[in-house]
Amino acid sequence: MKIAYFDCFSGIAGDMLIASLLDAGLDFAYLENEVAKLGLGKVNLKNRKLVKQNISSTYFEVEYEDQHHHRHLKDLNNLVENRGLPEDIVEKAKKVFLSIAEAEARIHDMPLEKVHFHEVGAIDTIVDVVCALLGFKKLGIEKVVCSPLNVGSGFVTFSHGKFPVPAPATAEILRNIPTYSTNSQGELVTPTGAAVITTLADSFGDMPSMMVESIGYGAGTKDFEHPNVLRVYIGKALGSQEMEEIIVIETNIDDMNPQFYEPVMEKLFREGALDVFFTPIQMKKNRPATKLTVLSKTGDEKKLTSILLKETTSLGVRMRKESRMILERESIKIQTPYGEVNMKISGLKGEVYHRNIEYEDLRRISSETGESLQVISEKLRKYTVD
């Protein structure tokens, strides 16, 4: 499994994140080509090498002309939809935008659809979000771990006025995320940086066991008493990474319409649940009931618990930490008589245990050919063995 670890001793911003990926080997021309497809007008990407307190790093910036200073959430979504971007990138970008919008809505106590994006609505920030997501995908990063975030100290000035660091929107986005503050006077974590890393990080904490293949340093704009860079390690997860800590959330329900379980399950998966399943149980007085179980990444448990309490008739939930062992997984594309399909390969320490054609591809082929899933599976069986 390819993993990235972000060492945020000087915080994180959108441009620093992209710069760190470029410094670690991301192709700059690829980002230029993809951004050109967005049709955002005169947008010019730049990157250059510079030295921050004796550390060689990469600096990334976006030059643009933008006449629209205020945008709503739907405007940002429209800027990434139907622009030729991969669907998963579009969905993740919309999650990042939503994270910022929800923070602004809470701060200003207004409906989500009325939130105005000011600095965050600028073209450079939209490009930062898209480029960061494209960078992760291009580098094949499957898991992201992030250190606790150094947020800085002092005050920062926005169009709304002068505010303490971290800025209100940043503070909202970083709820339930490990943070700390040093004496560095200035904003070290921006709303965009916070939204991107909290959307994509699988966990926050110490550096995991990994075989480091590349290290990148992304330079920030300001200078402090420490090197103002974001460091990223990219490499292969080692065997100890097979074990990971998760949160198990459970609740027993005996008074809910069974038809309502499906939309709850779908919403939990959309918000990052690792798994959701139902178990028939008997409660007091022999009442038939359902135990709803959710497997959550560390840091997502409060968000998922909120969905359970809001969307079901549950009056409370149980939570516990557990460890799980997972196989290393990789998705590859193979050529078959039905054209290109995706195959999922899983195993441990280089040994392949399973090969499976993706179910969605089987279903698509069945829809296109009229053949049954069983017949298609049998024809493709030879591709799933050595």
Side-chain angles (χ1 to χ4, degrees):
M1 177 185 291
K2 197 167 189 180
I3 187 171
Y5 179 71
F6 285 91
D7 184 8
C8 303
F9 60 84
S10 189
I12 187 169
D15 56 350
M16 293 173 71
L17 193 157
I18 299 161
S20 70
L21 297 179
L22 289 169
D23 204 58
L26 177 63
D27 182 16
F28 178 70
Y30 165 74
L31 293 184
E32 286 186 307
N33 291 335
E34 293 300 310
V35 169
K37 297 177 183 177
L38 296 177
L40 298 175
K42 294 183 178 179
V43 176
N44 184 31
L45 306 188
K46 288 187 174 183
N47 82 110
R48 67 179 187 274
K49 294 293 257 184
L50 51 78
V51 176
K52 286 281 187 178
Q53 295 196 11
N54 297 317
I55 294 181
S56 174
S57 56
T58 294
Y59 182 74
F60 174 83
E61 63 179 324
V62 181
E63 291 184 345
Y64 64 98
E65 292 182 5
D66 186 14
Q67 302 301 320
H68 301 85
H69 301 292
H70 297 160
R71 291 184 173 90
H72 293 89
L73 178 60
K74 65 177 182 180
D75 298 319
L76 270 64
N77 289 340
N78 288 339
L79 287 173
V80 296
E81 291 176 334
N82 302 315
R83 303 297 177 108
L85 293 174
E87 187 59 32
D88 59 332
I89 297 294
V90 174
E91 292 306 311
K92 288 176 183 177
K94 290 163 72 173
K95 279 189 175 182
V96 174
F97 299 150
L98 178 61
S99 174
I100 300 171
E102 289 176 336
E104 293 282 358
R106 286 194 294 269
I107 293 167
H108 301 300
D109 191 23
M110 64 172 59
L112 195 64
E113 64 273 10
K114 291 189 177 181
V115 169
H116 282 279
F117 288 82
H118 299 279
E119 287 84 357
V120 176
I123 290 294
D124 61 336
T125 303
I126 298 167
V127 171
D128 281 351
V129 171
V130 172
C131 284
L133 299 176
L134 288 168
F136 281 105
K137 187 178 181 72
K138 183 67 173 177
L139 291 173
I141 295 170
E142 301 167 84
K143 184 170 185 177
V144 177
V145 181
C146 183
S147 72
L149 299 166
N150 181 3
V151 298
S153 62
F155 292 85
V156 62
T157 301
F158 291 132
S159 57
H160 288 305
K162 189 174 183 180
F163 298 98
V165 170
T170 303
E172 287 290 331
I173 295 169
L174 295 180
R175 283 177 182 248
N176 304 312
I177 301 297
T179 60
Y180 65 97
S181 177
T182 62
N183 292 325
S184 299
Q185 293 292 309
E187 180 189 38
L188 297 185
V189 178
T190 65
T192 302
V196 172
I197 200 63
T198 55
T199 299
L200 295 184
D202 295 281
S203 62
F204 289 81
D206 296 332
M207 184 176 180
S209 298
M210 61 187 294
M211 185 72 72
V212 176
E213 298 173 343
S214 60
I215 303 174
Y217 292 88
T221 303
K222 298 177 182 178
D223 291 315
F224 299 103
E225 67 279 4
H226 63 268
N228 185 25
V229 295
L230 171 65
R231 178 163 55 185
V232 63
Y233 299 89
I234 299 176
K236 296 282 188 180
L238 295 180
S240 60
Q241 197 64 27
E242 298 152 15
M243 295 295 295
E244 65 178 9
E245 186 178 87
I246 61 171
I247 307 297
V248 179
I249 310 168
E250 290 181 342
T251 184
N252 298 343
I253 303 173
D254 65 357
D255 59 350
M256 181 167 152
N257 185 335
Q259 293 176 315
F260 298 162
Y261 282 117
E262 183 179 7
V264 173
M265 173 184 272
E266 291 175 350
K267 189 166 187 178
L268 289 166
F269 276 125
R270 281 200 308 271
E271 293 302 318
L274 299 170
D275 201 0
V276 182
F277 54 92
F278 306 96
T279 308
I281 58 174
Q282 296 294 126
M283 293 179 63
K284 60 185 178 182
K285 299 181 181 180
N286 248 354
R287 291 200 306 270
T290 299
K291 179 169 71 173
L292 198 168
T293 304
V294 181
L295 304 187
S296 167
K297 291 180 288 189
T298 302
D300 284 351
E301 63 270 21
K302 290 191 176 181
K303 173 176 61 176
L304 298 176
T305 297
S306 177
I307 294 172
L308 286 177
L309 295 176
K310 182 178 180 181
E311 303 288 340
T312 74
T313 57
S314 171
L315 298 178
V317 302
R318 304 179 297 279
M319 282 188 281
R320 64 181 183 274
K321 291 183 179 181
E322 288 190 2
S323 295
R324 70 171 185 170
M325 175 177 280
I326 58 174
L327 296 177
E328 298 168 356
R329 284 163 286 186
E330 181 181 5
S331 183
I332 64 172
K333 296 184 181 299
I334 61 172
Q335 292 296 329
T336 75
Y338 295 104
E340 188 176 76
V341 300
N342 294 291
M343 176 186 287
K344 186 178 293 182
I345 299 175
S346 58
L348 203 58
K349 297 180 179 178
E351 182 180 355
V352 175
Y353 293 169
H354 311 292
R355 291 181 175 88
N356 296 292
I357 305 296
E358 289 283 3
Y359 170 72
E360 291 300 327
D361 282 338
L362 294 177
R363 193 169 71 169
R364 172 182 55 79
I365 294 170
S366 178
S367 176
E368 292 172 351
T369 64
E371 297 181 6
S372 69
L373 292 176
Q374 183 175 346
V375 169
I376 298 168
S377 296
E378 185 61 30
K379 289 183 177 179
L380 296 180
R381 190 168 65 88
K382 68 177 182 179
Y383 295 93
T384 62
V385 296
D386 287 322

